[in-house]
Amino acid sequence: MTAAPARRNDAAVPLAPARLQTLQTLGIFCGLAAGAWLGGAEAPTKLVTIGLSPIVISLGMVIGVFLARWTVPALVQGTSSVARDLRAAPHLIVWAVLAGCLWAVANTLTIYAVRDVGLSIAFPLWNSNSLLGIVWGIVFFRELRGATPGRWMAVVGGALLMFIGAVQLALVSAMHMPAMDARRGITAALAAGVLWGTMYIPYRKAYLTGMSPLSFVTFFTVGELATMLALALGESGGLAALGHDLAAARHVLFWLLLGGFVWVIGDLFQQYAVKYAGITRGIPLSNTNQLWGLLWGILVFGELRAAGSGAILRVVLVSIVMAGGAGLIALASVEESEHRRWDEARARETARYGVDPRFTSARAAGADPDAGAPRRRAVDWLIALVATVTLIAFGLMAAAPQIAFSGWAMMFLVVVMVVIAGACGAALWRRTRFN
Amino acid sequence: MTHSRDETRPPTSRWKAVLTDVHFWVPLAALVAGVLVLRWVGRS
């Protein structure tokens, strides 16, 4: 294929070492914040009564995700910022939509996996996505290239520690679960891991080019919703049948929408983690969601109550191992030699697609070249209004959760999540204005 | 600073760049495989 004349990268502005360190630290912080919110996102779906089709559950969550993925960018940066990003790199719409399609299929697979083998087993299996993500980051985006052997060991070893720990947690949990269809559930969970691990290719591509995560997710969610609607229509047998299924589930749709909103907050932090710390650091750190999921399960929903002290001790020790793995990764900072390789990957994108390298390098530094442009328009407030009204409407129809849970423990974890999000959000605003 | 489209990159060339990019085909292949697994899981 003959490409159009490549852009020279001599207009790119090198990143100062101090600024690079600041952004990497911010990316690490975002990865850990993502873990807290992605772990909490599973909680609302547990409140849904058994008997709903996995497709309907996934569609309900995706509707909530769609609302949130337009509302948050509209309020934080305004849709005019989204339009600016698209003018700079229109080809990224393809990858945003493709990533959304991957997410939707993976999310649906996880619903089947949880149904067949339970959350405790399915979670670590689909969290293998971080290992595949590391492979793609190395192969396609030159991450860890030029890094010292110590950093290779820290990242790869840390990720393996987390995965092994996750499997151990699953084994402990599985001892207290009834036998279910293991083969189908394990296949679904592993397939979800492959899809989510591959989804990071579009993420990294977009952020190396300079797109803001807030812009990326607005088109990402178009792929999500379109795919889920197609899957739901295919399974239910048509629009009327799907409408009937959704109407029958209207009393629990609020909880699914809420799960979608919580997921989007965590996912946005994950996007920023990939942007500023790379796939190899950002994704394994966001996979600390399993530890948070464990906290929710034990503290809020009373899981492992029937487990003996030996099992509890094993859970604590394995959790420490997983946290240690995350710590290793967090400390494996990106040195200049590796960052030069990231610049090479960035240069490939600008040359191949004719993106202005000044835009790319400015965004890599967390800057907004058009900082003076108008931020929010009437359409942004309209989007927020529609989302709010939708949530309130479904909230008024919602039935009380059909599961025992500790309200105090839930409040505690929610407060912790809000504090983490507030601190991380403030840091993102101060350092990057959410670019 | 403006960031308008590169005038040396017409839309057809951009589409060719997309369709010859391995970053496009790997995720697409994963998506197709995922849909097939989903169909199997849903029907078994």
Side-chain angles (χ1 to χ4, degrees), chain A residues 1 4 87-88 95 98 101-102 112 140-141 184 195 198 205 231 348-349 351-354 356 359 369-370, chain B residues 1-3 5-6 8-9 13-14 16-18 20-24 26-27 30-31 34 37-38 40-41 44:
Chain A
M1 169 252 183
R87 280 195 296 274
W95 274 276
L98 187 53
C101 297
L102 284 163
Y112 281 102
F140 289 135
F141 302 109
R184 190 175 62 189
L195 264 64
T198 308
K205 189 177 187 71
L231 291 173
R348 175 208 186 260
E349 298 303 316
R352 189 179 183 89
Y353 294 102
D356 189 339
F359 167 82
D370 296 316
Chain B
M1 185 188 303
T2 59
H3 302 285
R5 291 189 207 174
D6 178 11
T8 63
R9 172 76 63 174
S13 178
R14 185 175 287 120
K16 281 176 72 175
V18 170
T20 56
D21 194 337
V22 67
H23 298 169
F24 172 74
V26 169
L31 179 64
V37 170
L38 185 59
W40 174 74
V41 167
S44 61

Side-chain angles (χ1 to χ4, degrees), chain A residues 147-354:
Chain A
T148 60
R151 278 174 172 71
W152 273 89
M153 281 178 57
V155 171
V156 177
L160 280 173
L161 269 180
M162 291 181 69
F163 180 70
I164 291 168
V167 171
Q168 288 298 313
L169 277 180
L171 291 174
V172 171
S173 304
M175 285 191 292
H176 306 280
M177 296 287 293
M180 288 173 274
D181 192 328
R183 186 177 65 126
R184 190 175 62 189
I186 288 171
T187 302
L190 287 173
V194 169
L195 264 64
W196 272 334
T198 308
M199 182 184 69
Y200 303 132
I201 294 175
Y203 281 27
R204 190 61 179 151
K205 189 177 187 71
Y207 303 141
L208 278 174
T209 307
M211 179 171 267
S212 159
L214 290 172
S215 303
F216 184 77
V217 300
T218 55
F219 289 91
F220 180 107
T221 199
V222 171
E224 280 175 327
L225 190 59
T227 303
M228 270 322 306
L229 279 174
L231 291 173
L233 286 170
E235 191 205 75
S236 61
L239 198 57
L242 178 61
H244 179 265
D245 288 343
L246 288 173
R250 66 188 180 280
H251 297 299
V252 299
L253 278 178
F254 170 75
W255 302 110
L256 298 175
L257 263 62
L258 184 64
F261 260 83
V262 174
W263 182 279
V264 166
I265 303 294
D267 183 68
L268 276 171
F269 284 130
Q270 187 180 63
Q271 307 269 352
Y272 281 104
V274 170
K275 177 167 186 179
Y276 291 120
I279 299 174
T280 48
R281 278 77 166 182
I283 296 304
L285 289 175
S286 64
N287 278 4
T288 50
N289 59 354
Q290 183 166 359
L291 292 174
W292 287 95
L294 188 66
L295 274 179
W296 277 89
I298 292 176
L299 297 180
V300 179
F301 300 110
E303 293 174 4
L304 295 181
R305 196 168 283 159
S309 56
I312 299 291
L313 180 62
R314 199 166 150 191
V315 166
V316 171
L317 288 175
V318 169
S319 300
I320 292 171
V321 167
M322 287 182 68
L328 275 178
I329 294 168
L331 292 173
S333 59
V334 178
E335 295 169 306
E336 195 179 335
S337 54
E338 182 184 349
H339 197 257
R340 275 200 298 273
R341 301 303 184 98
W342 290 19
D343 287 340
E344 290 171 11
R346 194 171 285 123
R348 175 208 186 260
E349 298 303 316
T350 56
R352 189 179 183 89
Y353 294 102

